[in-house]
Amino acid sequence: MDEETLYELHAHVFGEDRYWGAMPWERVGYMKKYLASVYPISVDDITIVRAN
């Protein structure tokens, strides 16, 4: 069975390491922009990590 590759987003927020995911690649760009709009971080501060 061919499993879809999923990704998590990682950032250091409020003194803690935070992870969001797992999501398909198509959703990663949207979520980076969304997270940068609701947390005090920039899009460049968010790292993409392979979840599986």
Side-chain angles (χ1 to χ4, degrees):
M1 184 170 181
D2 190 22
E3 186 175 322
E4 179 181 20
T5 302
L6 299 175
Y7 300 88
E8 293 181 339
L9 300 178
H10 169 256
H12 195 74
V13 182
F14 301 125
E16 297 179 356
D17 285 330
R18 303 260 178 123
Y19 289 87
W20 298 270
M23 65 194 79
W25 180 253
E26 295 80 19
R27 189 142 175 93
V28 168
Y30 168 80
M31 284 302 295
K32 282 182 76 169
K33 291 177 188 173
Y34 172 76
L35 292 170
S37 75
V38 296
Y39 289 101
I41 54 176
S42 75
V43 172
D44 295 334
D45 294 332
I46 302 170
T47 305
I48 301 168
V49 181
R50 188 171 169 174
N52 58 349

